[in-house]
Amino acid sequence: MAHRAPLTNHHADGSLCPADDKHTSSGKPLHPDCPGRAYTQSICLCGEWEMKQPGKGYVNESRRRHLSSHTQGPKVLRDLLRLDGS
């Protein structure tokens, strides 16, 4: 099963910022009706990981790191499949 952890941008009041609203790297709005990005959130569909931070780049980097842990498989299976027996 492929795991997903979509990134979503939110305004200070917690409302979702539409995906087509553009921002500067600091979160200032480039769309006249947008109050600006206050934080970025990502929640993995596995149910074991979520992150909410003001820095979109940091959330995205952490999200990628978490998703890569899913490709390694469960630790029990990795231990069973080891060929060196240690």
Side-chain angles (χ1 to χ4, degrees), residues 5-58:
L7 283 176
T8 54
N9 294 314
H10 298 265
H11 302 130
D13 65 0
S15 64
L16 188 63
C17 188
D20 60 338
D21 282 8
K22 302 298 180 194
H23 308 90
T24 64
S25 60
S26 65
K28 292 180 181 164
L30 296 174
H31 188 273
D33 297 328
C34 181
R37 180 183 69 232
Y39 63 91
T40 298
Q41 183 175 20
S42 182
I43 301 173
C44 184
L45 298 179
C46 75
E48 297 180 16
W49 181 88
E50 69 178 84
M51 178 174 270
K52 175 178 154 179
Q53 294 284 327
K56 182 178 180 179
Y58 181 66

Side-chain angles (χ1 to χ4, degrees), residues 46-77:
C46 75
E48 297 180 16
W49 181 88
E50 69 178 84
M51 178 174 270
K52 175 178 154 179
Q53 294 284 327
K56 182 178 180 179
Y58 181 66
V59 174
N60 195 30
E61 178 184 322
S62 299
R63 177 185 73 90
R64 287 180 181 174
R65 190 175 308 119
H66 170 74
L67 289 173
S68 72
S69 72
H70 286 299
T71 62
Q72 296 172 5
K75 183 179 180 336
V76 174
L77 288 176

